[in-house]
């Protein structure tokens, strides 16, 4: 636990600079404390006021929070609104010609859309979806490259009240199939191609493959955006080109007014079991979280050029590409490519070219760029920057310092934002005009977020001791349930062991004597690989689905760039392979997992044994496997092991 050691010894503190404080939306530590205290005094009254001030309601709500069906909370639940109206129409009177999106494609080509343009495009596409018979409550899968069209597709679903479920373009046909069937989707919106780092990924053929796997009878239409050459045959009448669909559609579309609790989207994420879960979000509460965090954490100003590098396939791309920035009326950059193409100066050049003020990315991207030296960012004009953000995994203090000094020139606060797919928006993060920063800490909870650290029985632990991170009171942007599986929602997030009262985040954390939170890592079998969440069980099921594999156990090990790397311990059905044979099998299995889940799940290392280390009752001792994966000496007690000799076999990676 090198991160753990270094953060416990971290003593550097960076108070906000005067210039930043002066212009901040939340200015000075007292303002933060006052707001936090206001929420503590009367939580519903706190959110009531914010919801009225920040959301445009078609029908105002009279009820704020309903806890009677704990933990299935309801917020503002007799109110009506439309999220797309709140992101687009509300700006038409005040700033129709402001640029909403600056899109930069993988090859560097730039296109822009004003709020007026975007509104028209969303209306047209929404009318197109309606012409296919799609309506309120239907589920629509979106499997698209980063593009203005991806944002349009999500916003158009929101406009007609269809619940979207975006599947990251890096997921395999099999993963896509699993999500289509679980959601019971009526349509899939996709593209012919996705371009990343000069490489082409054929999304539409993955859709065809997924729909040929069976059980997908609910899908009536496939809409295909022509990103590339469009060299593919459509299966008529199921498939339709995006440009054909919108051709004769009107560019105005009355929004479908929905209840505050109407599911805006579901997003699949990994948990402790093999099957990804469909995290379901509301409309109003979710939107409020996105808006407030834009104001509090990103200190949003109308003059900002905002850039969140996340793909819309992840929750970060939902809250800080598609919804948050548009709801507050920002100009934002949407980017299709990767940080190292055509070279490792891509991010810095983009910041320079578009005069980005607010830059939000993942520690893994920062660490991969540190490798190229401080000279590289130094070659670009980064003086437009005023705020830097980090998300997705713990940021080690060294990477934080590099980000702060080399990229931000010690001028820009770094906001380390802790949150999750399930929380919808930032939970613990600095309000940068108020809170002093400590490298590696996500600092203090946002106003209205009653974060705490408890032990196995749900009792508060003293500061400095560490335990489970929980959120004690409901908050508007939290997930409402798991799609089709309320029981699993309750069991996973409000377990009886903790008295069923608190939202259990699944992370362990420590709080120091200043009340600052330090995230230590997951308490479940979830890995965080380059900021992507993967279940070990998910990768194990993929491995044992291979005809070669009898048994598999997957663990994580620390990795300098990715945060965590995937190590798989595998028992084959045939003999334990040696030499060339072992090498070839490793390649075969890595590709197999990539095909089953997607390239992000490809194991970094595979080791073969005649067996796995098990207790006499047959339980795999994962703790030992983690030690082996790290290449450390085993100091644990192995006397309960059925087969201690196996450890020797599993010590070495395949050369
Ligand atoms: C898990 C959630 C947050 C949106 C993207 C990932 C880890 C996330 C941080 C952070 C330390 C972090 C946690 C969390 N995580 N942000 N700032 N510091 N850890 O969303 O895929 O739902 O993953 O990512 O372990 O539980 P996600």
């Amino acid at each position: 636990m090198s991160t753990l050691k270094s953060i416990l010894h971290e003593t550097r503190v960076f108070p906000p600079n005067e210039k930043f404080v002066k212009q901040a939306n939340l200015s000075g530590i007292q303002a933060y404390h006052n707001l936090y205290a206001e929420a503590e005094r009367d939580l519903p009254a706190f959110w009531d006021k914010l919801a009225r001030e920040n959301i445009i309601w078609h029908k105002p709500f009279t009820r704020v929070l309903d806890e009677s069906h704990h933990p299935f909370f309801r917020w503002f639940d007799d109110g009506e609104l439309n999220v797309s109206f709140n992101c687009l129409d509300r700006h038409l009177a005040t700033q129709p010609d402001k640029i909403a999106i600056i899109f930069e494609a993988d090859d560097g080509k730039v296109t822009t859309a004003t709020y007026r343009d975007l509104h028209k495009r969303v209306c047209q596409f929404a009318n197109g979806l309606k012409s296919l018979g799609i309506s309120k409550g239907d589920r629509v899968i979106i499997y698209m490259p980063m593009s203005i069209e991806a944002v349009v597709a999500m916003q158009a679903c929101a406009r007609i009240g269809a619940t979207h479920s975006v599947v990251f373009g890096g997921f395999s046909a099999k993963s896509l199939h699993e999500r289509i069937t679980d959601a019971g989707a009526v349509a899939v919106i996709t593209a012919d191609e996705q371009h990343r780092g000069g490489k082409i990924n054929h999304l539409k053929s993955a859709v065809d493959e997924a729909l040929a796997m069976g059980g997908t009878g609910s899908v009536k239409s496939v809409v295909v955006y022509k990103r590339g050459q469009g060299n593919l045959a459509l299966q008529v009448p199921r498939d339709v080109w995006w440009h054909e669909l919108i051709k004769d559609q009107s560019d105005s579309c009355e929004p479908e007014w929905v209840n505050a609790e109407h599911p805006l989207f579901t997003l699949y994420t990994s948990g402790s079991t093999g099957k990804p879960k469909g995290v379901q979000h509301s409309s109003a509460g979710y939107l409020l979280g996105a808006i407030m965090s834009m104001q509090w954490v990103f200190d949003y100003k109308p003059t900002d050029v905002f850039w969140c590098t996340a793909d819309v396939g992840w929750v970060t791309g939902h809250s800080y590409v598609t919804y948050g920035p548009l709801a507050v009326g920002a100009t934002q950059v949407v980017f299709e490519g990767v940080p190292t193409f055509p070279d490792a100066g891509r991010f810095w050049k983009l910041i320079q070219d578009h005069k980005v003020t607010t830059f939000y990315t993942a520690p893994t991207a920062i660490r991969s760029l540190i490798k190229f030296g401080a000279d590289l960012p130094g070659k670009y004009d980064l003086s437009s920057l005023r705020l830097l953000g980090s998300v997705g995994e713990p940021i080690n203090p060294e990477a934080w310092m590099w980000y702060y000094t080399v990229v931000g020139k010690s001028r820009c606060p770094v906001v380390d934002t802790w949150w999750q797919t399930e929380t919808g928006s930032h939970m613990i993060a600095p309000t940068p005009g108020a809170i002093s920063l400590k490298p590696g800490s996500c600092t203090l909870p946002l106003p209205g977020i009653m974060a705490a650290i408890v032990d196995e029985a749900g009792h508060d632990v003293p500061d400095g001791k560490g335990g489970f991170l929980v959120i004690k009171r409901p908050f508007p942007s939290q997930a409402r349930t798991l799609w089709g599986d309320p029981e699993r929602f309750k069991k996973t997030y409000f377990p009886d062991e903790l008295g069923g009262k608190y939202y259990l985040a699944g992370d362990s954390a420590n709080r120091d004597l200043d009340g600052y939170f330090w995230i230590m890592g997951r308490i479940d079998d979830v890995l965080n690989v380059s900021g992507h969440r993967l279940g070990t069980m998910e990768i194990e099921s993929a491995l044992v689905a291979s005809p070669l594999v009898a048994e598999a156990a997957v663990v994580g090990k620390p990795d300098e760039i990715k945060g965590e790397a995937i190590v798989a311990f595998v028992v084959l059905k045939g003999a334990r392979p040696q030499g060339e044979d072992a090498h070839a099998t490793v390649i075969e299995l890595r590709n197999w997992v990539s095909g089953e889940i997607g390239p992000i799940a490809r194991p970094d290392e595979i080791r073969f044994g005649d067996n796995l280390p098990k207790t006499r009752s047959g339980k795999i001792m994962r703790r030992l496997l983690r030690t082996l994966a790290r290449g450390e000496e085993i100091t644990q007690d192995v006397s309960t092991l059925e087969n201690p000799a196996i450890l020797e076999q599993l010590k070495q990676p395949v050369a």
Side-chain angles (χ1 to χ4, degrees), residues 339-340 342-349 352 368-382 402 406-407 409:
T340 47
D343 58 57
R346 184 69 185 266
F347 274 9
W348 319 132
K349 183 169 187 315
Q352 168 181 285
S368 76
L369 294 171
I370 290 177
K371 261 196 341 212
F372 296 93
D375 294 353
L376 195 56
K379 288 197 185 120
Y380 297 87
D381 178 6
L382 305 181
W402 193 86
V406 175
V407 181
K409 309 282 187 292

Side-chain angles (χ1 to χ4, degrees), residues 599-647:
I600 53 171
R602 197 193 297 261
D604 296 276
E605 211 183 272
I606 297 183
R607 302 185 189 185
F608 298 105
D610 293 321
N611 213 323
L612 296 173
K614 288 183 186 161
T615 62
R616 272 177 258 279
S617 57
K619 202 170 167 279
I620 297 173
M621 292 190 69
R622 285 169 186 282
R623 263 185 317 119
L624 291 180
L625 292 178
R626 276 192 281 268
T627 308
L628 290 174
R630 287 162 195 262
E632 290 167 3
E633 278 308 311
I634 294 197
T635 53
Q636 294 105 319
D637 177 18
V638 294
S639 61
T640 56
L641 263 194
E642 167 89 54
N643 50 349
I646 203 69
L647 297 176

Side-chain angles (χ1 to χ4, degrees), residues 269 315-316 390-395 416-422 442 505 507 519 522 528 531 533:
T269 190
V315 74
T316 310
S390 171
V391 59
E393 48 176 323
I395 179 164
D416 175 5
T417 59
W418 178 84
W419 59 297
Q420 309 174 294
T421 305
E422 293 87 342
C442 50
D507 282 318
I519 307 297
R522 298 286 306 188
N528 194 322
R533 186 161 149 188

Side-chain angles (χ1 to χ4, degrees), residues 165-337:
S165 190
V166 183
V167 178
F168 175 56
F171 277 121
S172 66
K174 185 129 185 270
S175 296
L176 178 63
H177 174 261
E178 199 170 32
R179 288 155 174 76
I180 292 171
T181 50
D182 191 81
V186 302
V188 179
I189 305 171
T190 189
D192 54 347
E193 297 170 0
Q194 170 174 45
H195 295 223
R196 293 183 82 236
K199 289 196 210 99
I200 295 179
N201 176 14
H202 298 273
L203 295 175
K204 172 60 164 55
S205 29
V207 172
D208 290 341
E209 216 184 300
L211 293 179
M213 287 177 188
T216 55
S218 59
V219 176
K220 302 290 179 255
S221 322
V222 176
V223 183
V224 191
Y225 162 57
K226 193 170 141 202
R227 161 66 183 89
Q229 298 308 309
N231 294 325
L232 51 85
L234 295 188
Q235 291 187 30
V236 184
R238 187 196 71 183
D239 300 353
V240 53
W241 285 112
W242 176 299
H243 56 270
E244 300 284 341
L245 181 69
I246 61 170
K247 210 162 56 195
D248 297 317
Q249 300 297 345
S250 151
D251 58 13
S252 76
C253 171
E254 177 70 9
E256 181 78 31
W257 304 110
V258 299
N259 182 274
E261 283 295 316
H262 181 73
L264 177 64
F265 67 89
T266 65
L267 186 60
Y268 286 82
T269 190
S270 299
S272 295
T273 71
K275 195 172 166 270
K277 43 197 182 184
V279 173
Q280 181 180 319
H281 278 285
S282 69
S283 293
Y286 169 80
L287 180 66
L288 186 59
I291 293 174
M292 294 324 299
S293 48
M294 286 299 298
Q295 304 287 6
W296 286 334
V297 181
F298 292 128
D299 191 49
Y300 170 71
K301 298 284 157 22
T303 46
D304 277 332
V305 177
F306 183 84
W307 182 24
C308 164
T309 66
D311 192 285
V312 292
W314 311 111
V315 74
T316 310
H318 283 59
S319 305
Y320 303 109
V321 177
T322 300
Y323 293 112
L326 296 180
V328 299
T331 293
Q332 72 170 320
V333 173
V334 172
F335 175 52
E336 180 187 41

Side-chain angles (χ1 to χ4, degrees), residues 463-482:
D463 285 344
K465 189 154 174 289
F468 301 138
L469 179 55
V470 297
I471 299 170
K472 289 189 165 178
R473 299 281 295 128
F475 51 95
S477 72
Q478 78 192 116
R480 295 303 190 257
T481 188
L482 293 176

